[in-house]
Amino acid sequence: MVRAVAAGCVLSLLALTGCDGGVHGTPGGAGVRDPYFPRAGNGGYDVSHYGLTLAYDPDRRHLTGTAVITARATRDLSAFNLDLEGLEVRGVTVEGRTALFSRAGQELTVRPHDDLVKGETFRTTVRYAGKPRTVTDPDGSEEGWLPTADGALALGEPVGSMAWFPGNDHPSDKAAYDISVTVPKGLQAVSNGELKSGTTRGGRTTFHWHTAEPMASYLATVAIGRFEITRSTTKSGLPVYVAVVPAQAKASRAVLAKIPEVVEWAEDTFGPYPFSSTGAIVGRGKDAAYALETQNRPVFPGAPDLETLVHEIAHQWYGNSVTPRSWRDIWLNEAFATYAEWLWEEDHGGDSAQQTFDALYDGDDAESQALWAFPPARPSSAAHIFDPPVYDRGAMVLHRIRRTVGDDTFHDIARGWAATHRHGNASTADFTAYVEKKAPDKDFGEIWKDWLYGDGKPARP
């Protein structure tokens, strides 16, 4: 399907040849060859900002959107791709000029009127509409656009963001966001970052949210519905914005009141908080089947327990600020967030991290045996990147590092890793090199070989 073809110019879907006398660049890649999601993301450009203007009608489950994507070409481009699953594209412009486009699955291929030169910053505007899809992951969980009783919830890990906006849907390309959402009066729209305005006109209310710090597309969220909103600050003045569906308000109150305490503890443990606000979104318990560390404002399917709150807040450092270079590096997110749970318990009168490690190692039930199904840094397939080896065995890797280097050096490693790659991307190779640099007199060969990359259950340390 081809739309917006200029007079006298015919688009070849195979060559995407232009009508300006010849193509000097080459098409950007469709996918970045991620080991688990090879079609995710795109080559040839780097996004710096998404401006999303959305309007949602919950009764019809209909979304209308305009995405303004500011990016820099990383090579000469005759065409480039955006990830967009479903939805009807009504028009595309690049630098204000009508652009040709075609659709093939999740790939929206854009042919600008003029070739883009390496290093050039360009702005692409995509107008789209339709009924957004719910995406089923390889592990059977659901993400994308999830309709709720009075609105919707958008979740994106690992590849669901393309269900509600076009973009470079891979963690390696982070950007700032402005998200404006118009909904029927009486509903609220909660997103990442800070609420800049909320205006009502003609029976509709528009909420404008701004995220200044770089964010991976899978961490973007929109929650539409009726919420009880509370605003407060931590002792240091960090804004805390919490949105809870009324049915979960009472059950959530005690744990959510601990957000400032957990953030302050995490700052002592992991270093300065990396974003300009914090908070939470709590659903009615059946809108989603999992909690997610959406940036600034984690989403919980219902009233969270304290352990889960600690986990998702720790992700703001590990996963949101320091983001995986590819989905193979997801253990760096989940291991640190899981180990944060262990450290919280240790610091608050519960089991020590060593006791937690020993209980996992010695467990002989089916759940414990699942820890040894594959190594943390090499999940067996996309269907297993959120399985126990990534979380618990990954945390065991961190504990083995701690036991090898000692508490003081491990504390330096945890804080230094978050600081060195703040608002950036990092890989497993980056992490192992960083650990070795911080403790050059220690031998990590057995940890990397048997615990991080080895098959089966390692010998007891």
Side-chain angles (χ1 to χ4, degrees):
M1 178 176 65
V2 179
R3 293 185 181 271
V5 179
C9 178
V10 178
L11 171 66
S12 165
L13 295 180
L14 295 177
L16 284 169
T17 54
C19 52
D20 58 354
V23 174
H24 305 291
T26 57
V32 294
R33 299 183 181 178
D34 185 275
Y36 298 106
F37 300 93
R39 297 172 62 200
N42 302 283
Y45 64 93
D46 177 58
V47 179
S48 60
H49 182 266
Y50 289 94
L52 306 179
T53 302
L54 310 175
Y56 187 61
D57 181 344
D59 292 337
R60 296 192 300 132
R61 296 186 176 181
H62 187 270
L63 180 71
T64 302
T66 299
V68 180
I69 304 164
T70 304
R72 178 181 58 85
T74 56
R75 63 173 184 257
D76 293 346
L77 288 174
S78 61
F80 59 91
N81 283 27
L82 297 168
D83 297 306
L84 183 65
E85 180 72 29
L87 299 170
E88 176 192 357
V89 176
R90 295 179 170 178
V92 180
T93 63
V94 178
E95 286 297 282
R97 304 192 69 173
T98 298
L100 308 176
F101 65 89
S102 62
R103 302 291 298 276
Q106 72 182 55
E107 301 296 333
L108 168 60
T109 302
V110 178
R111 168 68 171 98
H113 184 276
D114 301 306
D115 285 2
L116 300 169
V117 179
K118 180 180 179 180
E120 177 182 355
T121 297
F122 62 99
R123 181 173 295 179
T124 303
T125 300
V126 181
R127 295 184 297 106
Y128 59 99
K131 185 177 180 180
R133 295 180 181 177
T134 297
V135 177
T136 301
D137 290 336
D139 66 0
S141 60
E142 292 185 334
E143 55 173 302
W145 193 266
L146 309 175
T148 64
D150 56 1
L153 175 63
L155 299 175
E157 189 177 30
V159 291
S161 293
M162 63 182 174
W164 58 284
F165 69 93
N168 200 14
D169 195 10
H170 190 265
S172 60
D173 192 0
K174 300 165 69 171
Y177 281 71
D178 280 275
I179 301 177
S180 292
V181 188
T182 300
V183 295
K185 182 180 177 181
L187 300 184
Q188 291 130 322
V190 183
S191 188
N192 311 89
E194 285 69 64
L195 180 62
K196 293 300 182 180
S197 64
T199 57
T200 299
R201 182 179 302 165
R204 308 274 287 175
T205 304
T206 300
F207 298 86
H208 175 201
W209 292 86
H210 174 66
T211 301
E213 299 91 356
M215 179 168 69
S217 57
Y218 79 89
L219 297 169
T221 190
V222 169
I224 297 169
R226 292 177 176 85
F227 298 97
E228 291 187 8
I229 307 294
T230 59
R231 296 176 175 88
S232 60
T233 61
T234 65
K235 291 178 181 177
S236 64
L238 181 72
V240 181
Y241 186 101
V242 175
V244 185
V245 296
Q248 296 291 327
K250 183 177 179 180
S252 300
R253 191 169 295 123
V255 169
L256 295 179
K258 288 185 172 290
I259 289 176
E261 179 186 351
V262 173
V263 170
E264 288 158 8
W265 169 84
E267 286 192 300
D268 289 340
T269 308
F270 307 130
Y273 184 75
F275 303 112
S276 52
S277 68
T278 187
I281 300 170
V282 179
R284 57 183 38 80
K286 55 186 177 182
D287 298 334
Y290 51 88
L292 185 61
E293 62 272 17
T294 43
Q295 194 155 302
N296 304 91
R297 199 151 291 110
V299 170
F300 301 94
D305 57 34
L306 183 56
E307 182 180 72
T308 305
L309 181 69
V310 170
H311 184 103
E312 304 306 337
I313 287 179
H315 269 311
Q316 305 306 308
W317 282 261
Y318 307 109
N320 297 12
S321 177
V322 184
T323 303
R325 198 173 300 280
S326 82
W327 286 110
R328 180 168 284 165
D329 305 307
I330 187 63
W331 82 275
L332 288 168
N333 295 21
E334 302 304 343
F336 268 106
T338 301
Y339 200 62
E341 298 175 41
W342 299 13
L343 294 175
W344 174 272
E345 282 292 306
E346 186 174 78
D347 289 348
H348 293 82
D351 288 346
S352 68
Q354 185 62 50
Q355 288 173 313
T356 304
F357 179 100
D358 290 340
L360 287 169
Y361 189 89
D362 294 333
D364 58 5
D365 58 6
E367 184 176 348
S368 298
Q369 293 306 310
L371 287 176
W372 319 113
F374 57 81
R378 199 169 58 226
S380 53
S381 72
H384 298 289
I385 64 172
F386 300 113
D387 279 9
V390 173
Y391 290 70
D392 293 319
R393 185 171 167 181
M396 296 173 88
V397 170
L398 298 181
H399 189 68
R400 293 286 294 114
I401 294 170
R402 177 184 173 189
R403 292 300 303 270
T404 299
V405 302
D407 287 357
D408 289 345
T409 299
F410 180 79
H411 185 68
D412 291 344
I413 288 172
R415 292 173 66 93
W417 174 249
T420 299
H421 296 282
R422 183 180 175 95
H423 299 316
N425 294 86
S427 67
T428 300
D430 293 328
F431 178 71
T432 56
Y434 183 82
V435 170
E436 291 172 354
K437 182 179 179 180
K438 296 292 286 186
D441 58 330
K442 303 296 183 181
D443 182 4
F444 298 96
E446 175 259 344
I447 298 176
W448 306 153
K449 176 178 175 291
D450 297 337
W451 286 87
L452 186 57
Y453 285 106
D455 292 322
K457 185 176 183 178
R460 176 177 287 280

